[in-house]
Amino acid sequence: MLEIRGLAAAINEKPILKGIDLTVPDGEVHAIMGPNGSGKSTLGYVLSGREDYAVTAGSATFNGIDLLDMEPEARAAAGLFLAFQAPIELPGVNNANFLRTALNAIRRSRGESELDAVQFLKLARAEAKRLAMPDDMLKRNVNVGFSGGEKKRNEVLQMALLRPKLAILDETDSGLDIDALKIVADGVNALRGPEFSALVITHHQRLLDHLVPNRVHVLLNGQIVRSGGPELAKELEKRGYGDLIAEAA
Amino acid sequence: MAADTETLDTVQSVTQSGYKWGFETDIEMDIAPKGLNEDIIRLISSRKQEPEWMLAWRLKAFAAWQAMQEPQWARVEHPPIDYQELHYYAAPKKKSDGPKSLDEVDPALLAMYEKLGIPLKERAILAGVDPDSVENRQVAVDAVFDSVSVATTFQETLRKAGVIFCPISEAIREYPDLVQQYLGTVVPVGDNFFAALNSAVFTDGSFVFIPRGVRCPMELSTYFRINTRNTGQFERTLIIAEERSYVSYLEGCTAPQRDENQLHAAVVELVAMDDAQIKYSTVQNWYPGDAEGKGGIYNFVTKRGACRGARSKISWTQVETGSAITWKYPSCVLQGEDSVGEFYSVAVTNSHQQADTGTKMIHVGRGSRSTIVSKGISAGKSNNTYRGLVRMLPGAANARNYTQCDSLLIGDQCGAHTVPYIESRNPTAKVEHEATTSKIAEDQLFYCRQRGLSEEDAVGLIVNGFCKDVLKELPMEFAVEAQKLLAVSLEGSVG
């Protein structure tokens, strides 16, 4: 269970998050919506431990462990995964090699045995196939020369392989066509279960048609201003954020 | 808890001193008195039972050296070197006339090479390689300990193929005509200060001769080890590839960890005739000094290959991670028509290391081509300079060069410098130069760490990616070793 209490964070001393309270029980998928610049991506970065953000107040625990006190790799080992809005390119680093290094680091931390190249490739190829990714994506350099859609699918492939307990998807649906969108949603749905929870940051209702959330939260100017069921997303799709912005003002 | 164990592991990996080859071996040595003069040169020559012409050659070099000044143009700094404070000869004491076979080599020496992971037993080495996939892959090794070669393996097998692979001191005695014909023809005795010094006092090194039409049946390699205190190591390597022959040669080097600096001034000469190919790979891992810049090897080396024949090819691949100071420019003189020169380099500097390294491609022949790929990585307070010369002479019609120099900075206290010299005296020759400088981006590190990689592993992965174009040129066994070495050299460089 993810529990966020009064979380405030700033970048270059500019406050972005201004007191977030949010609880995501195990097994649930929560959507975070809100206009540009409201702090959605910041929330993902702060939870996963990006150094440029300073936490100025509040707490965030996952299954009782204080996330904010841990190095990013320790948070990953604890089961947290961030699908990046703009996945990073690693020139010269083979995608399969990167994925295997990451998977083995996570497996080591769980006390599981490491996979050799043959075992890994078998697993990775099967997952890639399920995500309708061509095999050669494993051979290419990490995100280098990938189209926008390929980068997003590569994030979902990593998530499928690492099997996190808490996934944060930062606009993984943006820039995807309908088919790709469905593949991404299926990728997350396949992981759903009593020990998996997710925060899905999105601008669009259409992802939530395929990936139905338990709760929807609206983030506005660094605070959660409205929470509700899946119908809230549909309402926002129709009416926009205008009313909420007016209410908050 | 996971976080604690991880931290402990990281601390351990950083504090367990990065240099794993720093031990000293206790061997009874025959050491010449300190200092350099004609008597010392005569002593070296007599210890080596050299013919008169060799002594005369050395003395000529010594005279040239005395008239020369240490070069000052490199971007390196060090206190003056007192050449009279060094030993110029140090050899393990021989029990009789020297070992006739491996069984007679001092067991302490064999144990040392075992510890370094260098196989002096005649068996295939297969580090990191699936034994089934590479059948009978063997590497012949010449092991040079301080001033002398202590063992050369697989000599018999090679002799059957017509290949000569032996210590150069043995070649001077056994194959004087060959040595006289080629020695000093690529790097003349008075070429530069350190080459002249080497020519006067070199004690051992490898000699390779590949006859016409022969493809050398195995990789040849030399492992250099400096052990004795206050000893300079001056090895000399000469490789001759006759028409249509091929050889791949590797060298590796290590030294004990010491507080004072030690001098290593080697000369390597390569000669390739028509359609011959020489592939020369180096993994240089001399002791770099400690984190404060104390101690370490001064690696002042002259390496040059002559592509004398048409369509001949010489490739230099180097991974330079060690040494306090590196001053080294493996070069090609492309005399033959359509001859090819290549230089692939990774130079890593950390702490207070200084590297001024690069290449010279001298295009003489028509249609000669050269490729330079240099990857410099600086971390800590180190300085890393690429210095390269591409010269197109009037006869080099349609010659081409392509140069790519990339620098990677880790942290904000290191320096990277690129100094390309381009001279073209033929209007049809084409020279291309590309250079980039980048920092390991915070977002790349964060991306890797978010996926569970430690900071050190993330740096290793990014750096290996950066060097990939060079590492793929190395023979397989060396590529594995080089990747590990890169990671070790950069331990503790971030955070």
Side-chain angles (χ1 to χ4, degrees):
Chain A
M1 181 160 71
L2 173 69
E3 281 191 284
I4 303 172
R5 291 287 165 265
L7 184 64
I11 184 162
N12 299 329
E13 299 187 9
K14 183 177 181 250
I16 309 282
L17 302 182
K18 300 166 183 170
I20 306 259
D21 290 293
L22 178 65
T23 301
V24 184
D26 288 349
E28 292 198 359
V29 170
H30 288 204
I32 305 274
M33 303 185 78
N36 290 329
S38 58
K40 302 185 298 293
S41 292
T42 299
L43 179 61
Y45 283 143
V46 168
L47 292 177
S48 53
R50 191 165 175 142
E51 275 163 8
D52 344 4
Y53 295 88
V55 173
T56 49
S59 67
T61 61
F62 181 61
N63 293 340
I65 308 171
D66 181 2
L67 280 180
L68 303 180
D69 201 32
M70 298 160 85
E71 294 293 332
E73 58 270 33
R75 301 184 201 199
L80 186 148
F81 180 92
L82 173 67
F84 283 57
Q85 188 184 133
I88 308 298
E89 298 183 1
L90 301 176
V93 180
N94 172 279
N95 205 22
N97 183 28
F98 174 69
L99 290 173
R100 184 160 78 95
T101 310
L103 180 58
N104 280 336
I106 299 280
R107 288 179 66 95
R108 267 199 310 276
S109 70
R110 290 180 191 153
E112 296 169 3
S113 64
E114 295 188 23
L115 298 184
D116 65 30
V118 179
Q119 293 168 318
F120 170 79
L121 270 181
K122 207 173 152 195
L123 184 69
R125 285 206 183 110
E127 289 292 354
K129 199 171 169 195
R130 265 183 350 112
L131 294 167
M133 279 172 54
D135 259 11
D136 82 315
M137 254 170 83
L138 290 167
K139 293 180 198 146
R140 287 156 62 185
N141 292 337
V142 179
N143 295 325
V144 177
F146 282 32
S147 71
E150 284 174 332
K151 284 183 180 174
K152 297 299 176 75
R153 268 192 264 183
N154 199 30
E155 295 292 288
V156 177
L157 173 67
Q158 295 181 43
M159 181 177 71
L161 285 167
L162 298 178
R163 307 210 152 260
K165 295 191 182 110
L166 171 65
I168 303 168
L169 285 84
D170 188 358
E171 296 194 23
T172 305
D173 55 329
S174 54
L176 294 185
D177 60 35
I178 306 280
D179 293 339
L181 187 85
K182 192 156 179 314
I183 287 166
V184 169
D186 289 349
V188 180
N189 284 329
L191 291 174
R192 281 177 101 155
E195 294 212 345
F196 174 82
S197 53
L199 268 183
V200 179
I201 297 168
T202 181
H203 277 297
H204 306 291
Q205 158 62 27
R206 33 168 228 183
L207 174 67
L208 305 179
D209 287 339
H210 303 287
L211 177 56
V212 182
N214 299 82
R215 299 282 290 166
V216 175
H217 310 277
V218 181
L219 195 59
L220 190 66
N221 193 21
Q223 286 178 313
I224 289 175
V225 295
R226 175 82 64 87
S227 297
E231 70 288 346
L232 176 58
K234 295 199 170 81
E235 191 188 318
L236 290 169
E237 180 87 353
K238 258 185 249 151
R239 306 175 43 177
Y241 299 111
D243 295 355
L244 288 169
I245 293 170
E247 255 173 58
Chain B
M1 210 178 75
D4 288 344
T5 354
E6 196 126 338
T7 313
L8 275 178
D9 287 349
T10 310
V11 170
Q12 247 173 17
S13 72
V14 175
T15 48
Q16 282 167 352
S17 154
Y19 197 74
K20 290 164 184 149
W21 306 266
F23 59 87
E24 192 172 343
T25 307
D26 197 9
I27 299 261
E28 219 188 318
M29 299 293 287
D30 173 15
I31 300 176
K34 275 185 185 172
L36 181 54
N37 50 51
E38 288 202 1
D39 287 344
I40 291 286
I41 293 168
R42 285 175 202 284
L43 174 94
I44 293 170
S45 192
S46 83
R47 279 282 199 283
K48 301 259 161 208
Q49 299 156 29
E50 286 176 354
E52 195 53 39
W53 61 264
M54 194 65 239
L55 176 62
W57 196 83
R58 288 176 180 277
L59 292 172
K60 195 172 106 192
F62 181 59
W65 180 72
Q66 282 179 305
M68 296 170 95
Q69 299 287 320
E70 226 180 87
Q72 299 297 329
W73 43 261
R75 189 188 278 267
V76 296
E77 277 174 27
H78 57 83
I81 299 167
D82 186 345
Y83 293 92
Q84 298 304 332
E85 270 302 301
L86 294 176
H87 295 287
Y88 287 85
Y89 184 78
K93 265 209 179 125
K94 290 176 180 176
K95 295 205 168 88
S96 55
D97 265 354
K100 298 276 187 300
S101 75
L102 280 173
D103 302 337
E104 295 175 29
V105 176
D106 188 332
L109 269 179
L110 287 179
M112 180 205 75
Y113 281 98
E114 191 78 39
K115 199 166 165 186
L116 291 172
I118 297 160
L120 287 190
K121 296 191 184 105
E122 297 198 349
R123 58 177 148 97
I125 58 161
L126 295 156
V129 181
D130 177 6
D132 299 331
S133 69
V134 192
E135 242 172 77
N136 294 323
R137 194 179 165 88
Q138 293 172 324
V139 179
V141 176
D142 183 18
V144 177
F145 185 81
D146 286 338
S147 301
V148 295
S149 169
V150 291
T152 309
T153 62
F154 289 110
Q155 273 183 318
E156 202 45 49
T157 318
L158 290 167
R159 210 167 286 146
K160 273 182 205 147
V163 171
I164 303 172
F165 177 44
C166 67
I168 198 158
S169 49
E170 187 182 317
I172 290 166
R173 292 191 302 266
E174 306 289 325
Y175 313 100
D177 295 345
L178 270 179
V179 175
Q180 258 183 304
Q181 190 184 341
Y182 290 102
L183 187 72
T185 62
V186 186
V187 180
V189 290
D191 186 79
N192 68 69
F193 182 83
F194 296 111
L197 177 64
N198 172 285
S199 302
V201 302
F202 76 88
T203 42
D204 229 327
S206 299
F207 175 78
V208 177
F209 177 80
I210 317 287
R212 206 157 282 148
V214 170
R215 191 181 169 88
C216 187
M218 60 180 78
E219 311 253 6
L220 305 182
S221 73
T222 303
Y223 278 89
F224 297 101
R225 173 81 177 166
I226 299 179
N227 193 60
T228 307
R229 197 175 287 274
N230 295 323
T231 312
Q233 191 179 46
F234 306 94
E235 88 263 4
R236 184 108 194 171
T237 296
L238 175 59
I239 300 178
I240 301 147
E242 283 200 330
E243 290 78 1
R244 302 182 315 283
S245 67
Y246 170 87
V247 62
S248 168
Y249 178 91
L250 334 167
E251 65 171 357
C253 26
T254 56
Q257 213 158 324
R258 295 189 194 289
D259 288 347
E260 73 268 21
N261 297 107
Q262 276 181 290
L263 178 62
H264 171 254
V267 172
V268 175
E269 296 179 280
L270 312 181
V271 179
M273 308 310 282
D274 285 358
D275 300 292
Q277 265 193 52
I278 302 175
K279 186 173 169 59
Y280 193 106
S281 313
T282 304
V283 173
Q284 186 267 105
N285 186 27
W286 296 117
Y287 177 55
D290 68 10
E292 273 73 52
K294 202 164 181 212
I297 302 288
Y298 291 164
N299 188 36
F300 300 155
V301 169
T302 305
K303 291 185 168 173
R304 196 174 302 156
C307 281
R308 296 226 170 119
R311 298 165 305 277
S312 56
K313 179 175 173 184
I314 290 179
S315 299
W316 297 101
T317 305
Q318 60 171 19
V319 175
E320 303 279 319
T321 60
S323 297
I325 303 178
T326 297
W327 178 100
K328 179 181 167 187
Y329 315 89
S331 303
C332 296
V333 182
L334 301 164
Q335 293 157 285
E337 214 172 283
D338 297 319
S339 58
V340 177
E342 293 176 337
F343 174 74
Y344 297 98
S345 169
V346 170
V348 183
T349 53
N350 197 355
S351 301
H352 290 264
Q353 281 177 281
Q354 308 173 60
D356 192 304
T357 184
T359 184
K360 288 190 276 188
M361 292 291 174
I362 312 294
H363 290 256
V364 183
R366 303 169 143 270
S368 51
R369 301 191 308 277
S370 62
T371 304
I372 299 171
V373 177
S374 162
K375 305 276 182 177
I377 300 157
S378 337
K381 294 181 175 155
S382 68
N383 259 303
N384 201 323
T385 302
Y386 167 81
R387 188 182 301 277
L389 168 68
V390 177
R391 177 179 287 156
M392 300 292 184
L393 291 175
N398 299 314
R400 292 201 309 271
N401 162 265
Y402 172 73
T403 300
Q404 190 190 332
C405 288
D406 299 322
S407 307
L408 186 68
L409 301 168
I410 302 174
D412 53 11
Q413 294 184 62
C414 53
H417 318 275
T418 302
V419 192
Y421 305 86
I422 298 169
E423 300 170 13
S424 184
R425 287 160 64 194
N426 186 303
T428 61
K430 209 170 130 194
V431 180
E432 280 178 82
H433 182 94
E434 285 179 27
T436 66
T437 302
S438 52
K439 280 189 80 162
I440 288 192
E442 283 297 321
D443 55 3
Q444 288 178 326
L445 277 180
F446 176 65
Y447 190 65
C448 295
R449 294 177 75 190
Q450 206 303 303
R451 298 303 185 246
L453 273 65
S454 69
E455 193 162 27
E456 300 283 349
D457 287 350
V459 170
L461 198 74
I462 294 167
V463 165
N464 274 311
F466 174 76
C467 300
K468 196 177 180 182
D469 294 344
V470 173
L471 297 180
K472 72 175 172 26
E473 297 294 327
L474 285 173
M476 205 185 318
E477 296 84 352
F478 260 32
V480 175
E481 190 183 325
Q483 277 191 19
K484 287 185 196 149
L485 204 52
L486 284 180
V488 171
S489 306
L490 290 168
E491 256 174 23
S493 63
V494 281

